[in-house]
Amino acid sequence: MKTQVNNSHKSPLSRILRVLGYTLFLLLFLIGTVEIGFRVAVRAGLFGLDYGDVFSQELMNEGGFLKIGKSVNVVNGYGEKVQWITNSKGFRNDKEFDYDKPNGIIRILSIGDSFTAGYRVGQNETYSYLLENSLNEAQNSVRYEIMVACVQNPLQGLEYLNKYGLKYKPDIVLLGITLGNDLSECFIHLHNDGQKKLVGNTVIQNENYNAERIKKEVLEEVLPEYSYQPASELNDYLEKFVFPKLLNRFANLNYSGESIFAIKGKVPPYIHDFTHGLGVFLTPQPETIRKLYKNMETILKAYHELSIEQGFNTQVILFPQRFQVNELDTKKTITDYHLNTQYFDWELPNRSIGEFCKQNNLDYMDPLDYFRKQTEVLYLPNGDMHLNSKGHKVISDFLFTNMLKATSN
């Protein structure tokens, strides 16, 4: 006669492991569902409009590269909807401008990339809007108006001025330069195989443009091997997951620092990545970076010559990268990109551009120290390189004193 075995008393451990297995499966299924659902919702635009919905992929218009006549809500970096308006010429302003400015008006043409355009911040939160209000509230003798034109980099800004911007007879051109990617974009455009050439203060097409060679010899170039530690590409894949970021948001954890998202991945770090621009902070400078700074100096000199020729004043404002400002962001950048810190100087572009501007009587403003004194986070979350509304307010406050002094002169 066979003896029956009571499985209920055979292995308590096996039942525990089975329950844990089911729990783990359900948890992974939930995370996967949230991840997939969130990505589908973002692609479908359910959370709001973003970059591609407001940026013009067509030719430059009178207001730069923003789509004209938009009045929509866009999503900011915190999942909230904020107002986005461009006028009939494509300026990020809710009012129209004539070529001839009214009497008693000091007209400031604010040009720059997505920092200047105020990507992912509301219409009345951009530093240009806030600065205009502050200047007008400070006195009654004159009125100020600030026109906001989006260009992708300072070289394109020079092209824009010659084609459209100067028609509006600005008294001041406020040129925003994002340290890192703006310098790299200008270098690539003015490369021997790049799309553009600079003749005096005029930008023309390069008849020797070679896109394949640019991609192979410039865009594929990584940081020197000695400047970072070899690492697995696993982190690049993990960083693409949305769920941990959502969990951190809902848990309201203390800020622990963020590194800027890399277009082509963080392992290995690319020397001319269009977001972080880590190459411009290298020391000693590779030959490609020395040429990059020389190109930037040539562009700034062209602005200066054009301003003298056309009778306006150029004011340069430098936008620092988040890893220059916040120590937690610096540490996270070093960790995520596996950098050897002795080969990076986080103030190098500020000094280089500042010294050139001083030597050539070009007005410039560097808010890096002012930024570092702030206690709040000034940049958007999730690896975004852009300023949040607090960052725009800090830029506006910094510019106010400097611009008031400049305009009074």
Side-chain angles (χ1 to χ4, degrees):
M1 185 176 180
K2 294 182 179 180
T3 303
Q4 292 185 343
V5 178
N6 189 341
N7 290 330
S8 63
H9 298 287
K10 182 179 180 181
S11 179
L13 179 60
S14 66
R15 293 202 308 275
I16 293 173
L17 291 176
R18 189 179 297 115
V19 171
L20 289 176
Y22 288 145
T23 303
L24 180 60
F25 173 79
L26 290 174
L27 180 61
L28 291 176
F29 179 79
L30 175 62
I31 292 174
T33 302
V34 171
E35 183 75 28
I36 293 171
F38 187 85
R39 293 190 181 200
V40 170
V42 169
R43 291 194 176 188
L46 298 182
F47 293 108
L49 305 178
D50 198 21
Y51 274 140
D53 303 292
V54 295
F55 184 78
S56 174
Q57 300 296 332
E58 302 170 0
L59 296 177
M60 179 190 304
N61 57 54
E62 291 205 13
F65 278 84
L66 299 180
K67 291 183 178 179
I68 64 175
K70 301 291 286 187
S71 180
V72 296
N73 288 327
V74 299
V75 64
N76 67 8
Y78 304 95
E80 304 161 337
K81 291 184 178 180
V82 295
Q83 191 176 39
W84 178 283
I85 298 174
T86 54
N87 68 13
S88 65
K89 300 294 180 63
F91 293 101
R92 195 179 177 190
N93 296 86
D94 57 9
K95 58 185 177 182
E96 302 294 333
F97 302 100
D98 296 324
Y99 291 145
D100 294 322
K101 63 184 178 184
N103 292 331
I105 289 289
I106 291 179
R107 177 171 283 176
I108 300 171
L109 179 56
S110 179
I111 64 174
D113 63 5
S114 49
F115 274 65
T116 296
Y119 274 22
R120 301 190 177 118
V121 298
Q123 188 72 14
N124 298 340
E125 295 176 324
T126 71
Y127 71 82
S128 297
Y129 176 89
L130 297 172
L131 177 62
E132 178 182 282
N133 281 356
S134 295
L135 289 170
N136 284 325
E137 290 172 359
Q139 46 73 56
N140 297 316
S141 57
V142 294
R143 298 294 293 173
Y144 300 84
E145 63 178 19
I146 301 184
M147 309 165 66
V148 184
C150 178
V151 295
Q152 292 177 309
N153 55 69
L155 181 68
Q156 193 180 76
L158 195 61
E159 187 176 12
Y160 164 76
L161 280 177
N162 280 306
K163 188 172 183 178
Y164 292 120
L166 294 181
K167 292 180 180 180
Y168 289 89
K169 302 177 180 64
D171 298 290
I172 295 174
V173 170
L174 181 59
L175 172 63
I177 298 179
T178 303
L179 295 178
N181 63 319
D182 269 2
L183 280 65
S184 290
E185 286 188 26
C186 289
F187 169 73
I188 291 167
H189 280 303
L190 288 182
H191 190 275
N192 290 337
D193 298 310
Q195 287 183 295
K196 306 291 183 178
K197 293 170 69 174
L198 186 56
V199 180
N201 52 40
T202 303
V203 182
I204 63 173
Q205 295 295 317
N206 181 10
E207 64 277 8
N208 298 318
Y209 173 50
N210 189 323
E212 192 62 34
R213 195 175 296 170
I214 283 289
K215 180 180 179 181
K216 182 178 179 181
E217 297 183 6
V218 182
L219 295 181
E220 296 298 326
E221 186 178 5
V222 299
L223 294 180
E225 290 184 0
Y226 57 79
S227 66
Y228 67 97
Q229 297 290 335
S232 168
E233 296 183 6
L234 178 61
N235 286 341
D236 278 345
Y237 293 107
L238 293 176
E239 189 181 58
K240 296 177 182 178
F241 284 91
V242 177
F243 184 80
K245 299 171 184 176
L246 292 176
L247 187 63
N248 183 69
R249 179 85 55 81
F250 288 124
N252 197 26
L253 302 177
N254 290 332
Y255 186 74
S256 59
E258 292 193 31
S259 61
I260 295 174
F261 178 79
I263 293 178
K264 300 182 69 174
K266 296 179 178 179
V267 180
Y270 287 84
I271 198 168
H272 292 299
D273 189 277
F274 288 154
T275 51
H276 57 68
L278 284 170
V280 307
F281 299 91
L282 278 169
T283 180
Q285 295 175 355
E287 181 62 25
T288 184
I289 297 301
R290 284 196 290 271
K291 290 180 180 178
L292 175 148
Y293 278 105
K294 285 296 181 183
N295 279 356
M296 196 68 227
E297 291 173 0
T298 301
I299 294 169
L300 289 174
K301 189 174 182 180
Y303 271 92
H304 187 51
E305 292 173 352
L306 184 64
S307 66
I308 294 173
E309 178 184 305
Q310 297 294 328
F312 65 89
N313 176 245
T314 298
Q315 294 274 323
V316 175
I317 172 69
L318 305 180
F319 300 134
Q321 294 277 35
R322 65 188 306 153
F323 53 76
Q324 292 182 275
V325 174
N326 188 308
E327 289 185 359
L328 294 175
D329 289 348
T330 307
K331 293 177 180 177
K332 194 72 168 62
T333 300
I334 293 168
T335 300
D336 288 357
Y337 285 93
H338 310 280
L339 304 179
N340 293 328
T341 56
Q342 66 267 37
Y343 298 109
F344 293 88
D345 181 346
W346 303 124
E347 298 180 5
L348 177 60
N350 305 68
R351 287 199 310 274
S352 179
I353 294 174
E355 289 171 3
F356 176 82
C357 289
K358 286 180 181 178
Q359 293 170 2
N360 291 272
N361 298 316
L362 186 62
D363 294 327
Y364 83 102
M365 294 164 282
D366 180 7
L368 179 58
D369 288 339
Y370 189 68
F371 262 56
R372 287 175 172 172
K373 293 176 182 177
Q374 310 304 312
T375 58
E376 296 183 291
V377 177
L378 304 178
Y379 294 83
L380 291 168
N382 301 329
D384 200 321
M385 66 182 295
H386 295 99
L387 297 168
N388 59 22
S389 59
K390 295 175 183 176
H392 276 267
K393 180 64 167 62
V394 171
I395 284 282
S396 172
D397 291 344
F398 174 81
L399 283 171
F400 172 66
T401 302
N402 292 278
M403 292 298 293
L404 188 63
K405 186 186 300 181
T407 54
S408 65
N409 291 330

